[in-house]
Amino acid sequence: MSEQTPLDLAEGDPFGPHNLPYGVFTPAGSAERRVGVRLGSSVLDAGAAAAVLGSPYASLLAQPSLGPLLAAGRTAWRDVRRALTAWVTVPAHRESLADLFFPLSTVTLHLPFEVADYVDFYSSEHHARHLGSIFRPDGEPLTPNWKHLPIGYHGRAGTVVVSGTDVTRPSGQRRAPDAGDAAPLFGPSTRLDIETEVAFVVGVPSALGTPVPLSAFRDHVFGLCLLNDWSARDIQGWENVPLGPFLGKSFATSLSAWVTPLEALDAARVAPPERDTPLLPYLDDGGEGLADEPGGYDLRISVEINGQVVAEPPFAAMYWTAAQQLAHMTVGGASLRTGDLYASGTVSGPEPRQYGSLIELTWNGREPLSLPGGSRTFLEDGDEVVLGGWAPGPDGTRVGLGEVRGRIVAAGDFGA
Ligand code: CA
């Protein structure tokens, strides 16, 4: 019997050769960042592998960031993935690459690319209805624009952090809705929340003034990641009228260390839910020729707080697709840059166990969650949140999504 190697995976490993997500890592004892490809519980130094095997893709892979690969475009993405698949599946390569696999537990993972612009949408009808019901109980839960365009805002790219980074509780101004004309208070947020989201990674730029149509989604978007859009509900509630989210969101946004290429998710593509409102042509994905690019993805997400799964939001239930979000984001002529990141908005399903935020899971704090360390309405210092997930892969396999982990640490003392 031959020696066990990182290429010998357990049956059904969701990070098998059918997955191969990309990240950036530093091996123990080194300061050098390298592009890595995850296989099972190991990471392959992709640039070094390319060099050893004399691959023409060494220049794209022997890099400290995914940036050059992202910018290279769809043909290169396909060819590099084919090469990597061969490297980890063809027995002849095993011996030459054996020293280039590192156990995940021994490496440091970094933000895999420089985030250019960051946009956050609001594309789950269930989530939007839940929040509408909480904040406008006597009105229509959806705003009049909701079914005509994917609502979004521009966020703060510089505070997107890699999974595993501690999140400091933000301080800021807040005033309770029932506080009348009282002066606002300043202090650490007392209503710190999560938003379970899926973020799409733009590889290929677009020209200023040229909208990106639905049909060009796959030419620009390289892959996706899980994302946690930490949200301070009390800061958000006081500041957000009339211009929308600002400091209640900008203190930190956690991103998975692993980018799953869209090519790994072909078996997970699904049609979006039936739309009951006619769409303008630039958003109408029911048209001829778009059937091959439905834009929906069947991602099964889990939300864990302090070791207990509290929700399993279904991404397939999202009303607006990533292709529609991209088309809307560029329809006015805004250009894309390599490294642009746009997130779906909180993923929630119709059932209580499918809610992707604490404000929904506890119905604005009225119904605390029972957890091993005590009940919760919003997050306490020391709480750890882990988002995970998988998608159906080829031949009954599962495609694992890289986790997003973050722990809340106490607010700094900024005075008042
Ligand atoms: Ca959000």
Side-chain angles (χ1 to χ4, degrees), residues 168-172 186-189 251 410-416:
T168 300
R169 180 181 299 275
S171 290
F186 184 93
S189 170
F251 54 95
D413 181 11
F414 300 115

Side-chain angles (χ1 to χ4, degrees), residues 118 120-121 153 195 197 229 231 249 345-346:
Y118 169 56
D120 192 21
F121 284 96
Y153 67 96
E195 290 193 343
E197 306 200 17
D229 173 27
S231 299
K249 300 278 194 177
T346 308

Side-chain angles (χ1 to χ4, degrees), residues 118 120-122 127 153 194-197 227-231 233 236 245 249 253 343-347:
Y118 169 56
D120 192 21
F121 284 96
Y122 190 61
H127 175 71
Y153 67 96
I194 59 169
E195 290 193 343
T196 304
E197 306 200 17
L227 176 144
N228 187 345
D229 173 27
W230 306 96
S231 299
R233 300 296 180 198
Q236 185 185 359
K249 300 278 194 177
T253 305
S344 59
T346 308
V347 182

Side-chain angles (χ1 to χ4, degrees), residues 46-47 49-63 69 72 76 79-80 83 87:
V52 163
L53 297 173
S55 161
Y57 308 116
S59 61
L60 289 181
L61 296 172
Q63 297 283 350
L69 176 64
D79 292 347
V80 169
W87 300 349

